[in-house]
Amino acid sequence: MPLTLEHKLGRYLDPVYWQNIWHLFVNRGLEALIQVVVLIFLYFVLRSVLFRIVDGGMARIVRHHPDGAGLGRMKTLQGLARSILSYLLFFIFGVLILKAVGVNIIPFIEAAGVIGLAIGFGAQKLVRDMISGFFIIVDNTFMVGEMVTIAGVTGVVQNIGMRVTRIVDNSGRIYMIANGDIGTVTNLSRNPIVDFVEINVAASADLQKIMEVIEAVGKQLVEAPGSVLKKAPALEGIMAFSASSMTIRVSLATDPIHLSTEQMRLRGALREAFIEAGIALA
């Protein structure tokens, strides 16, 4: 029998009715809150455990390769695996949390085709970034720890994720470059970098004596403990001269990361050796 307006008003004015509604709301809200807290806790625990498994697996591989062979590639794959796990866990637990708070996810699942089509148009850049990141790994274009030049930025690759590659330059600035925007890549770490140091000496200096000093200094530097030089620095020749001075060029080969340091070390060693040998600097 349908309730009359008087009965409806009487029910709404009854404090017991509103007290029951409040208790039901509190109980359901408390239950949902507990579920959300538990899910968030499980998310971070599971994420930490999976990351530890990935890191532990890489550590075991490194122990089997004490010479460091393939270390950069393993770090790259480690970063990619962590990135994939983060996205996957975030999606799974996001759906579970929505369900816990009472959001009906069935309509979203039923409309997955339409949503997927919309996402396909709206997230083309995201998909391109992820595909490009995958092929960067597969093609071994560059790895974590290598020095590269991308989009006019030169630095060391710190991380390769599913969407972006993170590069740190010599000044400590961090550049985030979308994988889909990476075109021409100059990898500076696959072969030694050959560069030069130019020094001005007096025009009257003995060239034969200069060659002997440079040869001795180069041998000393390349044989020093912990040296990263690929070969002994050598005199390339005279770049310029005038009535009072001449400019000599000395070549050195090393890893790009250590280039600036080795150039400064070579300049300092040559200066001391020239002064000791009585070769006047201009």
Side-chain angles (χ1 to χ4, degrees):
M1 180 178 180
L3 295 177
T4 64
L5 179 61
E6 182 179 354
H7 284 92
K8 290 182 178 180
L9 291 175
R11 183 179 64 179
Y12 292 146
L13 294 176
D14 186 0
V16 176
Y17 172 78
W18 291 108
Q19 186 177 12
N20 293 334
I21 294 293
W22 172 253
H23 287 161
L24 180 63
F25 175 77
V26 170
N27 290 335
R28 289 183 177 178
L30 184 61
E31 181 181 356
L33 178 62
I34 293 174
Q35 291 181 7
V36 169
V37 171
V38 170
L39 287 171
I40 293 175
F41 174 76
L42 289 176
Y43 166 78
F44 284 106
V45 169
L46 186 58
R47 183 173 179 267
S48 177
V49 169
L50 291 175
F51 279 10
R52 285 178 178 272
I53 292 174
V54 172
D55 296 342
M58 197 204 76
R60 284 193 294 271
I61 295 175
V62 170
R63 284 197 296 268
H64 285 84
H65 297 81
D67 57 348
L71 181 59
R73 188 172 181 82
M74 285 183 283
K75 287 185 177 180
T76 302
L77 293 175
Q78 178 192 18
L80 183 62
R82 290 169 66 106
S83 180
I84 292 174
L85 287 174
S86 295
Y87 282 110
L88 186 61
L89 288 175
F90 184 81
F91 174 76
I92 293 175
F93 279 88
V95 172
L96 293 177
I97 289 174
L98 288 176
K99 187 176 180 180
V101 298
V103 176
N104 187 8
I105 62 173
I106 299 299
F108 293 101
I109 297 176
E110 293 177 346
V114 178
I115 295 174
L117 183 62
I119 292 176
F121 284 109
Q124 292 183 33
K125 181 66 167 59
L126 174 63
V127 174
R128 188 181 70 171
D129 291 341
M130 296 176 67
I131 294 175
S132 298
F134 173 76
F135 280 106
I136 287 173
I137 305 296
V138 172
D139 295 339
N140 196 22
T141 307
F142 53 83
M143 301 183 296
V144 172
E146 291 187 331
M147 179 171 282
V148 298
T149 298
I150 301 173
V153 176
T154 298
V156 178
V157 179
Q158 190 179 62
N159 179 262
I160 303 175
M162 290 192 66
R163 283 200 324 107
V164 298
T165 293
R166 187 162 61 239
I167 296 177
V168 182
D169 67 7
N170 292 332
S171 301
R173 291 186 289 261
I174 299 177
Y175 296 87
M176 312 292 287
I177 303 175
N179 292 331
D181 295 335
I182 295 177
T184 302
V185 177
T186 303
N187 193 322
L188 305 173
S189 295
R190 300 293 168 90
N191 294 308
I193 295 295
V194 178
D195 211 321
F196 307 95
V197 168
E198 294 184 350
I199 301 176
N200 294 324
V201 297
S204 59
D206 186 350
L207 188 58
Q208 182 62 35
K209 192 174 184 180
I210 291 175
M211 293 177 60
E212 293 174 356
V213 171
I214 293 175
E215 184 178 353
V217 169
K219 184 178 180 181
Q220 178 185 357
L221 291 178
V222 78
E223 293 178 354
S227 174
V228 292
L229 291 172
K230 302 303 181 183
K231 61 180 181 179
L235 177 65
E236 291 291 312
I238 300 174
M239 296 303 299
F241 66 90
S242 65
S244 60
S245 67
M246 61 179 174
T247 303
I248 60 173
R249 172 177 284 185
V250 181
S251 64
L252 77 161
T254 185
D255 296 324
I257 298 177
H258 304 103
L259 179 60
S260 297
T261 303
E262 292 304 310
Q263 284 177 323
M264 291 186 288
R265 193 163 73 103
L266 177 59
R267 289 190 188 98
L270 288 176
R271 178 183 179 277
E272 293 180 2
F274 284 170
I275 293 174
E276 185 179 347
I279 299 173
L281 300 173

